[in-house]
Amino acid sequence: MIVAIDGPAASGKSTVARAVAQALDLTFLDTGAMYRALTAAVLERGCALGDGESCARIAEELDLTFDAEGRVLVDGRADEARIRSAAVTAAVSEVAAHPAVRRALVSIQRRVAQDAPGVVAEGRDTTTVVFPGADHKFFLTATSSERARRRALQEGRPEEQDALRLEIERRDAFDSTRADSPLVRASDAVAIDTDGYDAAAVTALILARISAPAHDQQHNSGDNA
Ligand code: CDP
């Protein structure tokens, strides 16, 4: 089974996708972490962010795997602090916009799904490009101020909420307007407005939707499943 969850920056996809994967005993696939790990390597090697060919070459050389908790590993090592750093966050959208970069990482993502009994994937294009035939598709949204509030809380930086909101809005605009695999809600994805819901409530909504009888799955257009 493939469950695909997309949505804008800091919409809670990782937390929810991880919990759904755990509940269903499926593999959690954090595609954003892969773009982040690649971007960390691009910055380390001093490669220009706009140089798509060189970024893609690094993507092909990089040994990207996952540990049992779904953390991305580069050469067998996790470095969450590095891949979530402000420098990587500021650069990742430009690296992720290169078609050759996307081809390299999407092929790894599909291989992970092939090798697992089932996956819960999350990102920007998992419902549209990576797994267009996914069994269940969701699109999580929330206002940018709510998303900034959550991210500030998560990172223990409450005083930086406004700066985080601007960064989130900048990244959303970039990710939504790129030519290759833009962030967009798939027409067959269930939209969930997460304003006012915590991660546990959104996880419960998704699990209920997945276990609903097939005839109830037809109505995908309404908000909040
Ligand atoms: O956790 P957060 O929402 O901040 O971002 P993320 O999911 O870690 O993704 C980081 C960046 O990677 C995004 O802003 C996109 O530019 C890129 N990305 C992408 O292009 N396609 C994906 N499937 C996942 C992430």
Side-chain angles (χ1 to χ4, degrees):
M1 172 159 68
I2 295 184
V3 179
I5 305 174
D6 285 331
S11 51
K13 303 179 303 290
S14 294
T15 310
V16 166
R18 190 186 290 277
V20 171
Q22 203 168 9
L24 300 177
D25 203 16
L26 302 176
T27 297
F28 165 53
L29 178 58
D30 180 349
T31 64
M34 298 170 70
Y35 289 96
R36 286 175 175 278
L38 169 62
T39 302
V42 164
L43 292 174
E44 255 150 38
R45 295 182 198 192
C47 171
L49 303 179
D51 181 351
E53 260 179 49
S54 301
C55 289
R57 205 169 316 122
I58 296 174
E60 275 153 20
E61 284 166 13
L62 218 56
D63 173 27
L64 281 182
T65 52
F66 291 90
D67 69 10
E69 276 79 51
R71 265 189 305 265
V72 73
L73 307 177
V74 179
D75 295 329
R77 280 192 303 276
D79 193 349
E80 284 292 309
R82 174 91 185 104
I83 72 165
R84 312 269 165 211
S85 67
V88 166
T89 299
V92 63
S93 287
E94 193 171 345
V95 172
H98 298 302
V101 162
R102 305 201 70 81
R103 274 197 298 279
L105 296 195
V106 167
S107 90
I108 300 175
Q109 291 155 18
R110 291 187 180 140
R111 210 178 317 133
V112 169
Q114 243 162 29
D115 293 346
V119 297
V120 181
E122 61 96 346
R124 302 296 185 288
D125 62 344
T126 68
T127 57
T128 52
V129 174
V130 188
F131 304 117
D135 301 275
H136 299 279
K137 299 184 181 183
F138 299 92
F139 193 81
L140 302 192
T141 58
T143 58
S144 57
S145 43
E146 171 60 14
R147 289 183 279 130
R149 191 189 67 78
R150 292 181 195 159
R151 186 57 50 102
L153 212 66
Q154 183 186 28
E155 296 188 356
R157 303 192 291 163
E159 69 292 350
E160 287 177 45
Q161 191 173 319
D162 274 348
L164 285 168
R165 181 176 53 77
L166 293 177
E167 167 63 37
I168 281 171
E169 289 172 354
R170 184 193 67 81
R171 207 143 48 90
D172 286 351
F174 203 106
D175 293 341
S176 308
T177 55
R178 69 184 175 213
D180 188 347
S181 316
L183 167 68
V184 61
R185 178 189 158 193
S187 57
D188 56 351
V190 176
I192 301 181
D193 177 358
T194 70
D195 272 323
Y197 289 85
D198 64 11
V202 178
T203 302
L205 268 176
I206 289 180
L207 289 172
R209 181 79 196 192
I210 290 173
S211 61
H215 65 269
D216 286 350
Q217 309 269 346
Q218 304 301 318
H219 311 288
N220 275 344
S221 55
D223 270 2
N224 290 357

